Amino acid sequence: AAIRRSSGDFVLSVDSDTTLASDVITKLAVKMRDSMVGAAMGQLTAYNRSDTWLTRLIDMEYWLACNEERAAQGRFGAVMCCCGPCAMYRRSCLLSLLDQYETQLFRGKPSDFGEDRHLTILMLKAGFRTEYVPGAVAATVVPDKMGPYLRQQLRWARSTFRDTMLARGLLRGLDRYLTLDVMGENLGPLLLGIAVVTALGELLFSHTVNWWTVLAIVTMTIIRS
């Protein structure tokens, strides 16, 4: 309703628990000068970083997600998820996609989670670029207990897997790096889980440590970082 009633050139998405730096709108708007840019997101940090060990780790996770993953995707003008806490959209593009956005289905059923990733994929499928602006900093409140954090991560993971299916036709027209990136994002956690469970099983039943598994996980972590 707010988007349909708006009248400006751009629409800014901000979560209710997010605090924006004073220059965020200016920095995002500069990126939107290119008429082919449909959306741009800023850098996310944990507002309550100093509360617990978990919030500190989440802040580190956000830094990696923004300055590694989104920055790499932005190199090709195809950030795969312009995160809800701080994202600017070109209103004309947004209006053209609004009906699809509001009626999103997955396997014939209404789907209303992961709406930021879904909208970003729709932008890319419509032929617009999506960008990352590291200087536009937004601080958002993150879970400080494991239970809420795991529920949040499960919801986000469902969104990632669902919208990968939505984007499968899109990837052919993008850089090959992005195809590899999306495959890694979906297969990486699965393979890591299998490796960890296998190593624990070997330790439990044969009382030996699979150092090759440990070495492989450490190596992949170093390469990723």
Side-chain angles (χ1 to χ4, degrees):
I3 292 167
R4 287 196 167 95
R5 285 183 158 188
S6 63
S7 59
D9 292 329
F10 309 122
V11 173
L12 185 70
S13 163
V14 186
D15 278 357
S16 59
D17 59 0
T18 300
T19 303
L20 302 182
S22 59
D23 57 356
V24 163
I25 293 176
T26 301
K27 289 183 175 179
L28 291 177
V30 168
K31 182 66 74 172
M32 302 294 287
R33 285 176 177 171
D34 183 344
S35 61
M36 290 309 298
V37 175
M41 69 165 285
Q43 179 177 181
L44 303 181
T45 63
Y47 181 84
N48 53 331
R49 178 186 184 276
S50 59
D51 284 3
T52 66
W53 63 269
L54 179 60
T55 58
R56 290 178 183 275
L57 288 174
I58 293 173
D59 184 66
M60 187 186 302
E61 179 189 8
Y62 279 13
W63 193 95
L64 285 170
C66 289
N67 296 296
E68 178 204 58
E69 182 181 300
R70 264 61 169 195
Q73 293 171 351
R75 170 67 177 78
F76 305 99
V79 173
M80 302 303 287
C81 178
C82 289
C83 300
C86 179
M88 181 175 282
Y89 298 95
R90 190 173 304 279
R91 182 174 175 271
S92 57
C93 306
L94 199 52
L95 288 175
S96 68
L97 300 171
L98 213 50
D99 288 339
Q100 295 180 67
Y101 176 57
E102 288 181 320
T103 58
Q104 58 179 301
L105 301 173
F106 181 64
R107 300 182 66 184
K109 297 180 180 179
S111 181
D112 58 0
F113 58 87
E115 67 285 347
D116 49 1
R117 182 178 292 272
H118 184 82
L119 182 55
T120 307
I121 298 297
L122 290 178
M123 281 281 180
L124 290 168
K125 290 184 74 173
F128 296 100
R129 293 169 60 89
T130 55
E131 300 280 359
Y132 170 59
V133 183
V137 180
T140 187
V141 176
V142 301
D144 58 2
K145 291 183 174 62
M146 188 58 72
Y149 173 69
L150 291 176
R151 287 193 295 272
Q152 178 197 65
Q153 292 300 305
L154 178 60
R155 189 174 69 251
W156 288 0
R158 290 170 64 198
S159 168
T160 299
F161 291 125
R162 179 202 64 187
D163 285 299
T164 295
M165 297 180 67
L166 179 69
R168 64 187 184 278
L170 169 70
L171 292 173
R172 298 190 198 99
L174 298 177
D175 191 275
R176 284 176 294 178
Y177 167 80
L178 290 164
T179 302
L180 183 63
D181 183 61
V182 170
M183 288 175 61
E185 188 176 10
N186 285 270
L187 293 178
L190 175 63
L191 296 176
L192 177 61
I194 292 172
V196 170
V197 169
T198 302
L200 289 175
E202 186 171 344
L203 177 63
L204 183 64
F205 293 109
S206 67
H207 305 290
T208 59
V209 177
N210 190 329
W211 290 109
W212 284 111
T213 300
V214 175
L215 180 62
I217 293 173
V218 170
T219 302
M220 291 302 295
T221 302
I222 293 171
I223 292 172
R224 177 176 169 81
S225 298

